Amino acid sequence: VAASAEEQSGHGATSGRIRNPQGAGERLREELIGAASRLLAEGSDPAQLSLRAVARAAGIAAPSVYLQFESKEALLRAVVDAHFAAFQEAIERGAATGNDPASRLLAGCLAYCRYAAEHPGSYRVIFEMPSSALLRGEADDPPGRAAFQVLVDGVAACIDSGAARADDPFRVAAEIWPALHGIVTLRRQLPGFPWPPLDEQVRRVVGGLAGLPTPPLASGTL
Amino acid sequence: VAASAEEQSGHGATSGRIRNPQGAGERLREELIGAASRLLAEGSDPAQLSLRAVARAAGIAAPSVYLQFESKEALLRAVVDAHFAAFQEAIERGAATGNDPASRLLAGCLAYCRYAAEHPGSYRVIFEMPSSALLRGEADDPPGRAAFQVLVDGVAACIDSGAARADDPFRVAAEIWPALHGIVTLRRQLPGFPWPPLDEQVRRVVGGLAGLPTPPLASGTL
DNA sequence: TGTACATCAGTGAACGCGCGTTCACTGATGTAC
DNA sequence: TGTACATCAGTGAACGCGCGTTCACTGATGTAC
């Protein structure tokens, strides 16, 4: 009947955690980023993530965060950067499959959307966190802009090879990206809506916007 | 040099406000919704809107909110509903201009995006507030679903009139909506990005996704 | 080999703040007699 | 016409909570002699 002192008082967050060996204090850095990612994966609103909640999830006392990060802001910046890097890598891995420009473009777009669908917390933290790498970087924002350039190049390759309608690659890319973004954010926000299968939708949308000759699937079956 | 007591203490929120005449207590309802809208227009994050901040903006003491609303939740629900209604009305007004199905569809989409661009706080509160009318409504969510049906009907009218490519109207509408949503949310989040003019982009995207015969503008000029 | 000491990972208590909500109240306006 | 009273819009103080951050500390591990 008697609860342990640990359960009664709010502290004792050191539930099972064993402290890192000497010289390995920085391991806590990754542990904290991992704990934050776990919270995000569980559906926490990125904009509301608190330092104390992350510390709790990591099994340490709140002030211990300051051993690795200068501030809450710095912790969250590191979290965003980690997710941004993972996102970019997933897209690049996806875009590498495919033997011609059109299938590489499609594979990249599919990888973008699949990653967002499978890691909604990750996608959210990248796009909604005020301190996001995308939103940071004043004028010449390298991180996000470089990633966008990959899309522009993919579209340009399709146009050059004759696989896509002749057009301004930047303009087409600036249409595809928002379309993909809208697809994944609305699916997350309205999971009850009868969305068509993701892959098929992405293929149709990218095809329609880039002017890929592949008939948008239904024109033959109607 | 001596600040007034009102300035020194945190209260005295009754800066200039005159209380409503007897029998008109419900006017405070609209004042509160208006105050919340003002905060949103100034860029407040909808998910972080606090009852106390709204009361402050309305010039009343925090507990006075409870004279008109059962809880913070109820206040925010009313705020979302007001903005949702204004949004819908703007779209309907827009879609009413135009003499043929294709121009009505385009006008509706343009009205959607223009409203979102001109009232970013309004659009945000509709789509980001956890208690939004869109996200509420369990299975058969009337508010948002009915609005979507208008888009489906618009697409169907274009197809029937031969203005758009033969296709499944629902599927096309389920592509157009996310595309518009992505366009307006990314523009808000990355205002520094060199976006093309909104109207032109919307015309091209809707044209591409619905298969309107109008060549997407650039094909003649390249 | 044993002991004193430095290093280092991590803690607990405390701070001031804004939050949502409750409670008993105030004071102006209208109504009954 | 004057006075007592009811109604009604709105308030101020207080509550318990979670937050970000600070501070002085603890206690295990490694090193010097």
Side-chain angles (χ1 to χ4, degrees), chain A residues 21 32 70 79 106 109 120 122 124 135 157 169 171 173 183 188 206 211 217:
Chain A
L32 284 166
E70 212 190 6
V79 171
L106 266 171
C109 293
S122 189
R124 260 188 107 179
L135 316 173
R171 206 165 289 235
I183 286 171
R188 183 182 59 76
V206 175
L217 199 135

Side-chain angles (χ1 to χ4, degrees), chain B residues 4-95:
Chain B
S4 79
E6 185 178 298
E7 282 162 358
Q8 284 195 331
S9 76
H11 351 98
T14 24
S15 37
R17 193 183 128 86
I18 37 179
R19 71 157 79 202
N20 283 318
Q22 248 175 284
E26 325 96 25
R27 274 187 212 164
L28 185 52
R29 233 189 105 86
E30 303 310 317
E31 292 179 42
L32 283 166
I33 293 176
S37 304
R38 224 174 309 128
L39 291 176
L40 289 169
E42 285 165 10
S44 294
D45 181 349
Q48 321 238 39
L49 253 202
S50 77
L51 178 148
R52 291 184 104 110
V54 173
R56 237 179 281 130
I60 60 161
S64 305
V65 172
Y66 291 90
L67 297 171
Q68 303 303 325
F69 296 99
E70 211 191 7
S71 61
K72 180 202 180 185
E73 163 80 12
L75 163 62
L76 295 186
R77 227 181 307 129
V79 170
V80 169
D81 288 351
H83 285 268
F84 190 82
F87 182 40
Q88 268 198 285
E89 209 223 303
I91 296 169
E92 275 160 28
R93 240 199 342 266

